[in-house]
Amino acid sequence: MLYPMKLIQLLLASLFVVSFNSCGENTENAENNEETADGNQETVAEDMSVLDEHTLSNYFDVKTTHLHLDIAVSFEEKKIKGSVTHTLENVNGVNEVIFDTKALNILGVTTDGGNPANYEMGEYDELLGTPLKVEITPETKTVEIEYETTEGTEALDWLMPAQTAGKQQPFMYTQGQSIFTRSWIPVQGTPAIRITYSARVQVPTSLMAVMSASNPVQKNETGIYSFDMPQPIPCYLLALAVGDLEFAPIDYRTGVYTEPSMLEDCAYELADMGKMVSAAEKLYGKYLWDRYDVIVLPPSFPFGGMENPRLTFATPTIIAGDRSLVALIAHELAHSWSGNLVTNSTWNDFWLNEGFTVYFERRIMESLYGKDYTDMLALLGYQDLMRTMSEEEPAMQSLKLNLINKHPDDAMSDVAYEKGYFFLRLLEQVAGRDNFDAFLKAYFDEHKFQTITTEEFVEYLNTNLIQPHNLTVNVDEWVYGEGVPENCPKVVSTRFNAVEASIEQFYQSGSVESIQASDWTTHEWLHFIRHLKDNTTPSQMAMLDEKFHLTQSGNSEIAAIWFEKSINFGYDSIDKELEAFLIKVGRRKFLMPLYTALAATPEGKEKALAIYAKARSNYHYVSFNSIDQLLGYQP
Ligand code: BES
Ligand code: ZN
């Protein structure tokens, strides 16, 4: 099914392309480029392959360059209410600007500071929402929209005090990626354009507000907070969190926000953040976002981390007590280059965000913690990739995707992350590390504050790495093909080899005494549990549990894989802890495999539904929407 709206849009855009090209100018056409505040070139979509299928807006004709939010956050009504002012650049001198909205009430629209405007809501599309069409003239400078959010919002998570660490105050956070920003702000919901933003946010005086922008370090008695994001960003990176927050600095430009009762533990866990930023800069160039802070959210947060610029949003499940899960911070930090500085043009190019980020993340980890440590991370990633490839349909196995009529969140698989990583690791291998690093550094620098498609990247790769160094690489097979190509780099980990020997001994001797695990790190444990054999019995699981207390593990990664295997092997001494985990934690990456494992048998499915009935209200839309589908649950 093609959306009628979309068809018209594509048609209009193709007319635009034809007339544009008939001027005989090349794709670097000056009319279509503009200087951003930072003096960088930004290009509006000018050929069909760049058009974003996940917006109903006419961003290729007229686009927002700056957005100002003036909103109040009401916990009584579970509502954000206020106005957004869009500063426009009318590239094609059109008479209408279209914004994306989803589940928003539009209360009024004016232009240029108060002139009532004609506007209408277009046809609702289940995936993309409802376009808001506003009449303008080519001279219109700003459009102001009064609006409020509704219960149907997909971006916002409203938490009761009981769902927080402190249990006294409510909490709210937003999740914009991939196409959720339109359900808390009317925007042109595409990564293809970049905007600067400012905001004035009113919250209850007992709470503090923070955004992906310049942030306060203390509460103030008015409950009014002002924000500024002077670097242009795609709108999926607009983010807000409101709660009983405190701040602790880590070094001069890094720090952590979280609820008071968690602050000390979080600051301990994230102590290496400053070193990570320095290591990242040394690899691929200066950090261009001023500060780098992290907010550790309540456990309902549906992701491990979200790279909101200047302020990564993170799950509390990385606070393991031993700093063993901080690769996630390296990952979100790396997005400050891959993703936030150089952004995928459309969600079909998602691997350009995530594959590059995993590569960069592992280089940061290698420079801080060494090669052995990083090889373990890469090998766990390879295992994830193999599992995903065996489950994913062929069309979703290529790096470049075609997500028309699909939710871009479906692209969030290990294909983008790990196949992307191994492709870049292959390029490093054939070009040599020094050449590859110089290439990547230049890539970030030359594309900063811009968006890029897969096709543009491939061309850049050919011109700047492959041809100059006379390399032979099967780029098309990696980028457009299914599966994992033959020449995927092989990772060897001596530490994992030792773990595998322990596993063999355990099954052969039937005794846990042969397992030499006293110096195992989290990653060795993950490798061990992942490699338990399919015919492991409940009594073997019980032996392992008795010696190593895995059911009680305070490490979320270890607990999650241990629970999954326990379900598979019918070891049900985990039931109490499993239920508690599923009720507390809303991170989709953990929930999906656990509910899937439970749902594999009729009794398990019953158990899953019983737990889900208690747990669902603790999950963000991103998670409950996925699990509703998985369990066939009708809310
Ligand atoms: N940007 C992603 C999260 C995301 C992807 C949100 C797609 C919505 C749609 C983030 O950087 C990420 O990849 N998070 C991972 C952690 C990482 C260490 C692989 C996660 O949340 O598990
Ligand atoms: Zn990521």
Side-chain angles (χ1 to χ4, degrees):
M1 183 193 68
L2 252 183
Y3 308 99
M5 190 51 221
K6 206 70 225 173
L7 268 177
I8 297 166
Q9 209 182 73
L10 290 171
L11 212 71
L12 278 174
S14 62
L15 284 175
F16 167 52
V17 172
V18 170
S19 67
F20 189 78
N21 285 347
S22 67
C23 302
E25 293 175 24
N26 67 22
T27 47
E28 299 294 341
N29 191 298
E31 280 176 47
N32 212 28
N33 284 340
E34 67 149 357
E35 292 276 314
T36 63
D38 290 43
N40 295 300
Q41 297 257 296
E42 195 179 50
T43 310
V44 184
E46 59 196 35
D47 89 54
M48 297 290 286
S49 70
V50 190
L51 266 192
D52 182 1
E53 297 140 356
H54 294 103
T55 174
L56 298 170
S57 76
N58 58 343
Y59 67 96
F60 40 81
D61 278 333
V62 49
K63 55 173 189 158
T64 304
T65 57
H66 179 82
L67 173 159
H68 178 74
L69 273 180
D70 190 346
I71 53 174
V73 178
S74 162
F75 284 88
E76 286 82 49
E77 296 180 89
K78 294 195 174 158
K79 198 186 258 186
I80 288 180
K81 194 170 172 175
S83 69
V84 56
T85 301
H86 289 269
T87 304
L88 299 181
E89 184 188 333
N90 199 334
V91 186
N92 283 334
V94 293
N95 293 310
E96 179 182 70
V97 57
I98 307 174
F99 300 100
D100 292 293
T101 76
K102 196 167 191 194
L104 291 178
N105 281 336
I106 303 301
L107 307 171
V109 182
T110 58
T111 58
D112 290 332
N115 308 318
N118 288 329
Y119 68 94
E120 62 171 13
M121 304 305 289
E123 202 180 313
Y124 172 73
D125 178 278
E126 210 175 281
L127 182 60
L128 304 177
T130 315
L132 162 62
K133 304 170 180 186
V134 182
E135 235 177 75
I136 54 168
T137 70
E139 286 73 44
T140 305
K141 295 273 179 300
T142 62
V143 172
E144 303 87 41
I145 306 165
E146 289 278 331
Y147 74 98
E148 61 184 13
T149 61
T150 66
E151 260 184 34
T153 180
E154 294 172 356
L156 303 179
D157 198 3
W158 297 95
L159 302 179
M160 317 273 280
Q163 295 165 290
T164 67
K167 316 276 179 220
Q168 303 299 316
Q169 303 283 349
F171 204 106
M172 192 282 301
Y173 64 87
T174 67
Q175 168 61 34
Q177 197 180 12
S178 52
I179 55 170
F180 300 125
T181 302
R182 66 190 66 175
S183 82
W184 76 281
I185 313 172
V187 284
Q188 296 185 306
T190 173
I193 60 167
R194 306 181 84 86
I195 56 177
T196 53
Y197 81 87
S198 49
R200 179 183 181 275
V201 181
Q202 164 104 58
V203 302
T205 50
S206 56
L207 305 179
M208 181 156 105
V210 289
M211 293 191 82
S212 52
S214 57
N215 275 311
V217 290
Q218 263 180 346
K219 286 179 194 154
N220 69 45
E221 65 273 16
T222 64
I224 297 172
Y225 297 88
S226 294
F227 302 91
D228 199 26
M229 171 43 91
Q231 289 98 337
I233 58 165
C235 72
Y236 72 85
L237 295 175
L238 268 157
L240 169 67
V242 181
D244 181 13
L245 294 172
E246 267 180 25
F247 174 76
I250 304 260
D251 75 350
Y252 73 100
R253 60 170 162 178
T254 64
V256 57
Y257 291 86
T258 193
E259 291 183 63
S261 66
M262 298 189 351
L263 195 61
E264 202 183 322
D265 286 353
C266 291
Y268 173 83
E269 202 81 17
L270 305 183
D272 281 348
M273 254 164 61
K275 284 184 211 139
M276 286 184 177
V277 182
S278 302
E281 286 191 310
K282 210 163 151 213
L283 282 165
Y284 300 124
K286 219 168 141 10
Y287 180 75
L288 293 177
W289 304 90
D290 193 13
R291 292 194 56 86
Y292 180 72
D293 296 312
V294 170
I295 176 172
V296 180
L297 294 165
S300 68
F301 187 57
F303 295 107
M306 178 63 217
E307 65 271 27
N308 298 316
R310 291 186 190 209
L311 183 66
T312 284
F313 282 26
T315 169
T317 61
I318 57 162
I319 308 303
D322 61 2
R323 300 179 179 164
S324 65
L325 302 177
V326 295
L328 184 130
I329 300 297
H331 178 96
E332 305 313 333
L333 167 67
H335 272 304
S336 307
W337 288 259
S338 42
N340 298 2
L341 213 51
V342 185
T343 307
N344 54 205
S345 272
T346 75
W347 298 114
N348 294 332
D349 308 299
F350 180 62
W351 78 279
L352 292 175
N353 276 16
E354 297 299 343
F356 279 64
T357 297
V358 174
Y359 178 83
F360 195 166
E361 161 202 338
R362 291 191 181 143
R363 292 296 302 277
I364 295 171
M365 294 306 282
E366 186 181 322
S367 62
L368 259 74
Y369 308 108
K371 190 168 176 315
D372 275 5
Y373 187 99
T374 312
D375 282 342
M376 293 196 288
L377 297 177
L379 212 47
L380 289 170
Y382 183 77
Q383 293 162 12
D384 290 333
L385 178 59
M386 288 306 155
R387 177 170 168 170
T388 301
M389 282 298 177
S390 69
E391 292 164 355
E392 199 70 82
E393 54 173 307
M396 298 296 283
Q397 293 180 5
S398 54
L399 291 176
K400 170 83 185 189
L401 293 171
N402 179 4
L403 296 168
I404 194 151
N405 297 341
K406 285 205 178 116
H407 200 291
D409 270 22
D410 295 350
M412 204 202 168
S413 89
D414 290 309
V415 174
Y417 288 78
E418 297 295 347
K419 188 176 174 181
Y421 166 76
F422 280 101
F423 176 44
L424 297 189
R425 184 160 166 156
L426 173 71
L427 292 173
E428 179 203 316
Q429 196 176 292
V430 291
R433 183 169 273 196
D434 288 350
N435 290 335
F436 189 61
D437 281 354
F439 165 80
L440 261 193
K441 193 169 177 180
Y443 166 76
F444 290 131
D445 187 50
E446 289 169 32
H447 296 89
K448 60 176 182 265
F449 299 108
Q450 295 175 48
T451 53
I452 184 160
T453 61
T454 300
E455 292 71 20
E456 288 164 340
F457 169 71
V458 168
E459 197 188 317
Y460 185 85
L461 174 68
N462 279 323
T463 315
N464 295 282
L465 190 73
I466 294 187
Q467 283 157 13
H469 297 290
N470 239 326
L471 310 176
T472 317
V473 190
N474 49 341
V475 175
D476 284 355
E477 187 187 352
W478 273 92
V479 174
Y480 301 105
E482 297 161 11
V484 180
E486 281 283 309
N487 62 346
C488 183
K490 301 278 172 291
V491 186
V492 180
S493 161
T494 39
R495 283 162 69 171
F496 277 5
N497 290 343
V499 171
E500 283 161 41
S502 266
I503 296 177
E504 279 312 315
Q505 278 170 14
F506 167 59
Y507 287 106
Q508 269 167 26
S509 68
S511 152
V512 284
E513 298 314 316
S514 58
I515 303 170
Q516 300 300 319
S518 54
D519 64 345
W520 281 4
T521 62
T522 295
H523 306 99
E524 282 149 308
W525 273 114
L526 296 179
H527 191 67
F528 179 85
I529 300 168
R530 283 181 179 197
H531 285 82
L532 291 173
K533 297 187 179 175
D534 287 346
N535 58 0
T536 304
T537 62
S539 65
Q540 285 171 317
M541 294 296 277
M543 282 162 63
L544 290 170
D545 210 6
E546 199 179 323
K547 172 110 197 249
F548 300 112
H549 313 292
L550 295 162
T551 301
Q552 261 70 44
S553 172
N555 185 300
S556 61
E557 294 277 352
I558 293 176
I561 185 70
W562 174 253
F563 291 154
E564 186 183 336
K565 295 290 180 189
S566 298
I567 298 166
N568 292 339
F569 304 150
Y571 173 60
D572 52 22
S573 307
I574 59 156
D575 280 8
K576 207 171 94 238
E577 285 79 4
L578 171 67
E579 177 166 331
F581 186 89
L582 289 172
I583 289 175
K584 182 169 179 201
V585 175
R587 186 174 172 187
R588 187 172 61 177
K589 177 185 121 170
F590 293 148
L591 301 181
M592 289 298 280
L594 289 173
Y595 281 109
T596 305
L598 282 171
T601 63
E603 317 82 73
K605 175 114 189 231
E606 229 170 86
K607 214 185 261 180
L609 285 166
I611 297 175
Y612 192 45
K614 297 185 224 170
R616 188 177 183 277
S617 64
N618 289 340
Y619 300 160
H620 182 278
Y621 171 85
V622 160
S623 290
F624 73 68
N625 182 48
S626 297
I627 295 158
D628 284 354
Q629 285 173 39
L630 176 74
L631 298 178
Y633 182 89
Q634 307 274 351

